[in-house]
Structures are given as C-alpha cells and as structure tokens.
Amino acid sequence: MSLNIHQLGYTYPGSRKAILHNVNIDFRSGEIVALTGDNGCGKTTLTKLLVGILKPKEGCICLDGNDIALMSLAEIGRRVGYVFQNPSQQIFCPTVEDEIAYGLKNMGLGGEEIEKRISYYLDYFELSTYRQTFPLSLSQGEKQRLMLAAILAMHPRYVILDEPTTGLDIYRRKLLGDYLLRIKTDGYGVIFVSHQSKFMETYADRIIRIENSQVTDDQGEKSDARS
Amino acid sequence: MRDLDPRSKLLMVICISTLAIVYQEPMQLLLVLLVSTLILFLVGADLKKVMQPLRKMLPLLLLLFLVQCIFTRQGAPLLTVYGIGIITDMGLNTGLGVMLRIITIIISAMILLSSSERDFLLALVQWKIPHEIAFMVMVGLHFLPILREEALNVYYAVQMRGTELQKISTSQKLKLYTLIMLPIISGAIHRAEQMAISMEARAFRAFPQRTYMRKLRLKKIDYCVQIGAVLACVSLLVLP
C-alpha cells in the first residue's frame, strides 16, 4: 500500500497565489509522518487533498498507483482515515457505539464482526464506559479517541490527523502519542499535522516542513539519503 | 452610488422585492429584473459573485419553470401531443413569472452584499430597531458561512466513512440528512452559548444606553434614491 504525491499544486478559488506548488512526497506504511509549518502554509490543505476533499489543480495523488481524483470519497475513506482538527464536525451518530458501527455497516460486515470490532476499539481507546453515551457530550480528547476508534475500526492503511494535540494536556498528549505508536506497530501509516516540536520529535519518524507553498525540509528523506 | 447608505439599499431592496411579489406578468417582472441588475451594477457589487449562486440554482429554476408550465392547465394550448395539451400560454406565463421572480429577489438581495454587515447593523439601529434584534440578525448572517462549512465537513465525513451518496436510495439519503443535522445543530447551540457568555462578559445589555463609534449620515443622493424608490414603487403599484 503506497500513498504518493507527484508535482502537486493547489490554488483556492478566487486566490491568485498557489497555497501548494510542486509538492512531492512518498508516504510509507508503518511510518509516522509529521507535517509542520507556519499558520496558513497549506498543511491542512495538503491533508484535505490527501483524502480527496479537495481536488488538485496540478499534479496528482496516487493511492496504490491509482489517482485519487478518480475515486469517490467513500472509496478513499476505506483506505485513508481522516480525523478533523475539530472532531465534533465528523460525529453524527446518537451513541458512541453507533459512531463506530456506522462505517462498518457501510462496509457490509456481519453483526458479529461489527460487535467484535466495536468492543475491541472501545477497549483499545478506553471508551468502553461511554458505549451508550451521546458522543457530542464527550470531552475533546475523548472525541478525538472516538474518531480514531471509528476510523481504525474500518482498517484503513493510513490515518491522517489534523492538529490532534490542540487542546490536549500533557497527559492526554502522551496518551495520543502512545496510541499513534501502537497503531504504527499494527502497520498503519500515520500522518499528522502539528506545531508542537516536542511531540513531533518524540513520536514522528519523519518531519516534513512546508514553507512558501513547498516542502522545504523532509527529515525522513534526508535520513534515507544518509543511510 | 457606490457609497450609498445601507438604509437606501435596504429600501431599494424592499421596493424591488415588493414589485417582484405583486407583479404577475413576465414582461413586468423582466423590467423589474433589469432595473435591479442595473442597480446592482451601479452599487459596485461583484457580478461574478452574483452569478455563482444563480448558476447553482439554475437546475432548480428550470425545474420550477417546467413544473409550472406543465401543471398549469388553464389557457390556450401552445403544444399538443396526440390532441393532449402539454403546454398552455398561461402555463408558460406562470412558469416564466416564477423563474423571473426568484431571480429578481436573489439579485435584489445581492445589492445588500455591497455594504459591510457592521454598516447594516448601524443602519438597523438608526432605524430605531432595538440593538439586540439588529445584532441578532447580523450574527445570524455572519454565522451562515460557518454553518455551511460545518455542514460540508459533516457531509465529507459521512462519505469518508463509506457512504456512497450516488448509490443510496432517496429514503436512505433523507435519513442521512437528519444525521448530518445533529452535529450542525449541536455546534450551533454550543457556539450560541459560548457567544452569549462572551457577550455578557463584555457588558452586553449591562447598561441602559449603548454608544457607537460611528454614525451613518444620509447624503443628498441617499435622499434622492430613497424618495425615488418609494415614489416609483407606490406609483407602479397604484397605476393601472
């Protein structure tokens, strides 16, 4: 499973300046990649392009060699999970359990398998006590974990998180980081957007900096070159 | 006309909308549409921005036109198939009328976009509308784009969890839309609560009188436009 960006460029409608230009990145499975850069440099835009919410104006993004511009959001979503900066905007079911089950039902899984995965991921993300709770009443960190659970339950190959550490205290940041390491060892590719250098240095295998619409630093690529 | 007071613009929009609602004949409505487009151009609105919602609404407008054409049975038949009248002259008139009326109302509303929302708040307050109500209207308008963005995010999230919108039935789609409303309503309530706290923390309604840093002043052109708009509207409505 591969996720590659070739010569990517994007300009928002009505804007003359490209927010991203000539971006080339290869994301690998089993790797945690941090995207960083100043506010408004195009990090979130890049993540939205990676999941097909925005369509590239130049270049392409390939998932297993297939251009994602030709795929539906549902097809991409089964392979690339996305946690928004504000997870409240992607929670829409009446209970925590239903939230996790939603994607699994769409995948056509049987009741027994759905139940198994719900229990596993509720336990994995320490949400079992909230099983019948209204998800929008959870705390920010719990909502984030719920969204990770709902997305990982669908067994995508990549998970993208937009500024996941926003509003989390040190303990919860560590919990999140440990979850990321756990899912990395399970073979998931993780891409997250962050401004927190300590968090990135602790948990990311590779840090990509975006500046002036382009990738200006790719530590992973450098370490590959050195090796 | 570019620096017209927002009150003059509001008055023109009220007059145009009234004429668009009262008039029934396509020719009359076309005339009102032309006048409102001219005003829109004169107040310096971005015509590209105006065309965007109209373009998006075009399929709906055409559908309305067709429904009115086909289901209005009165009048002389214009198109018959095997002796059955499909379109009548009255149906065509009604269809055109509905389409022109909606376009006119949208275009006239666009006149308001050429002034800032802060100016409109001042305009409403200077029309002696209580500040609380004027503020509520402005906040409502201000939050519309945010609500739209949130709705889009939920819409994307639903699809990213495996929902093929093109492949599901209408009843499933309706069920889905009720789900989509859940985070939007919850978010709106949460935001309203936060905003109420923030406003009260900054002395909203704490004192009997509220002052404003700026005051809108009517210029000569505003008086001319306001008197002209009201006179034109009343005479057009009264004249046979």
Side-chain angles (χ1 to χ4, degrees):
Chain A
M1 173 70 72
S2 63
L3 182 60
N4 319 101
I5 300 176
H6 303 287
Q7 305 285 321
L8 182 78
Y10 188 78
T11 309
Y12 277 103
S15 169
R16 284 184 188 171
K17 193 176 179 290
I19 184 131
L20 292 169
H21 175 62
N22 197 20
V23 174
N24 294 285
I25 308 171
D26 289 337
F27 296 104
R28 296 177 278 260
S29 305
E31 180 186 57
I32 301 181
V33 180
L35 293 174
T36 191
D38 294 340
N39 287 338
C41 73
K43 304 181 295 291
T44 297
T45 306
L46 182 61
T47 59
K48 284 185 176 174
L49 285 158
L50 279 169
V51 291
I53 291 176
L54 298 175
K55 304 282 176 206
K57 303 280 182 208
E58 293 165 25
C60 67
I61 297 168
C62 295
L63 187 59
D64 279 341
N66 301 312
D67 188 347
I68 65 163
L70 307 172
M71 296 160 79
S72 69
L73 279 178
E75 282 174 307
I76 301 167
R78 278 177 210 138
R79 290 181 250 184
V80 185
Y82 186 52
V83 181
F84 289 21
Q85 187 174 0
N86 179 5
S88 302
Q89 289 180 8
Q90 59 187 133
I91 291 172
F92 48 84
C93 292
T95 66
V96 165
E97 180 186 53
D98 288 341
E99 200 63 52
I100 300 177
Y102 184 85
L104 305 178
K105 287 178 190 165
N106 283 331
M107 287 166 73
L109 299 180
E112 215 172 289
E113 177 63 21
I114 292 177
E115 183 52 43
K116 207 171 112 189
R117 288 199 196 182
I118 291 174
S119 299
Y120 177 79
Y121 283 97
L122 283 177
D123 187 41
Y124 189 98
F125 287 101
E126 297 171 14
L127 290 166
S128 298
T129 48
Y130 301 117
R131 196 176 179 123
Q132 295 302 327
T133 306
F134 179 54
L136 287 164
S137 66
L138 298 176
S139 73
Q140 176 77 4
E142 285 160 352
K143 281 179 195 164
Q144 218 153 33
R145 273 150 55 204
L146 169 60
M147 281 330 297
L148 272 171
I151 283 161
L152 291 180
M154 292 171 72
H155 293 176
R157 297 321 304 159
Y158 288 90
V159 184
I160 301 176
L161 301 104
D162 190 2
E163 305 216 18
T165 52
T166 308
L168 296 188
D169 57 30
I170 298 170
Y171 171 70
R172 302 228 171 262
R173 269 208 298 271
K174 187 178 174 327
L175 272 186
L176 177 74
D178 291 345
Y179 287 135
L180 297 185
L181 291 177
R182 274 173 78 177
I183 61 176
K184 176 197 154 182
T185 49
D186 287 347
Y188 292 95
V190 179
I191 301 161
F192 69 86
V193 171
S194 185
H195 288 289
Q196 306 230 344
S197 51
K198 198 173 172 199
F199 185 81
M200 290 190 286
E201 279 158 19
T202 311
Y203 297 104
D205 300 311
R206 186 174 163 197
I207 300 172
I208 297 175
R209 173 167 284 279
I210 301 172
E211 258 173 327
N212 297 325
S213 320
Q214 288 182 315
V215 171
T216 53
D217 190 14
D218 188 344
Q219 281 185 7
E221 293 296 309
K222 275 183 191 169
S223 61
D224 281 357
R226 278 199 297 271
S227 64
Chain B
M1 293 275 278
R2 281 170 194 260
D3 301 324
L4 221 51
D5 189 282
R7 285 167 289 183
S8 308
K9 289 178 189 173
L10 270 169
L11 204 65
M12 282 196 293
V13 171
I14 293 168
C15 291
I16 292 168
S17 308
T18 310
L19 288 174
I21 290 164
V22 173
Y23 280 163
Q24 299 295 324
E25 287 300 313
M27 279 314 286
Q28 292 171 318
L29 286 163
L30 185 66
L31 197 72
V32 179
L33 175 63
L34 288 175
V35 171
S36 48
T37 312
L38 180 72
I39 294 169
L40 192 68
F41 178 72
L42 290 173
V43 295
D46 185 350
L47 290 179
K48 264 188 196 168
K49 269 190 188 168
V50 176
M51 289 313 289
Q52 264 175 355
L54 278 180
R55 218 175 289 146
K56 279 183 191 163
M57 282 192 71
L58 198 64
L60 180 72
L61 290 171
L62 287 173
L63 183 74
L64 272 173
F65 170 70
L66 282 174
V67 167
Q68 293 290 337
C69 273
I70 294 166
F71 291 99
T72 306
R73 308 307 315 149
Q74 296 95 334
L78 290 176
L79 176 69
T80 51
V81 177
Y82 296 115
I84 303 164
I86 302 291
I87 296 174
T88 64
D89 57 352
M90 201 177 267
L92 189 69
N93 265 358
T94 316
L96 277 172
V98 167
M99 205 164 72
L100 288 168
R101 186 172 295 125
I102 294 172
I103 297 173
T104 308
I105 290 172
I106 294 171
I107 287 206
S108 68
M110 297 283 175
I111 295 170
L112 302 178
L113 293 181
S114 58
S115 289
S116 73
E117 46 189 80
R118 188 180 289 243
D119 280 353
F120 276 110
L121 176 64
L122 277 176
L124 292 176
V125 169
Q126 285 181 227
W127 261 353
K128 306 287 176 216
I129 290 171
H131 177 261
E132 290 83 348
I133 293 172
F135 187 77
M136 229 158 56
V137 172
M138 287 306 117
V139 167
L141 289 175
H142 178 74
F143 277 124
L144 277 180
I146 298 171
L147 283 178
R148 182 182 173 271
E149 199 188 317
E150 280 186 6
L152 272 177
N153 279 341
V154 186
Y155 183 71
Y156 293 138
V158 164
Q159 291 182 78
M160 291 210 63
R161 301 261 287 283
T163 310
E164 294 275 11
L165 283 179
Q166 279 76 28
K167 293 179 186 166
I168 60 172
S169 65
T170 313
S171 62
Q172 282 174 308
K173 262 186 198 161
L174 286 174
K175 205 176 157 192
L176 197 69
Y177 289 135
T178 50
L179 279 181
I180 288 176
M181 291 309 288
L182 184 76
I184 298 169
I185 294 169
S186 160
I189 293 171
H190 181 63
R191 197 173 300 108
E193 278 172 353
Q194 281 183 326
M195 197 169 168
I197 294 166
S198 162
M199 282 160 61
E200 285 189 9
R202 282 185 276 166
F204 186 76
R205 297 182 73 188
F207 301 96
Q209 205 174 355
R210 195 182 192 282
T211 52
Y212 297 87
M213 285 166 72
R214 227 158 43 88
K215 196 166 187 220
L216 295 175
R217 286 184 203 288
L218 293 173
K219 292 186 241 37
K220 270 183 196 163
I221 186 163
D222 289 302
Y223 288 111
C224 295
V225 166
Q226 289 188 11
I227 293 166
V230 174
L231 278 179
C233 181
V234 171
S235 51
L236 283 168
L237 289 175
V238 172
L239 285 176

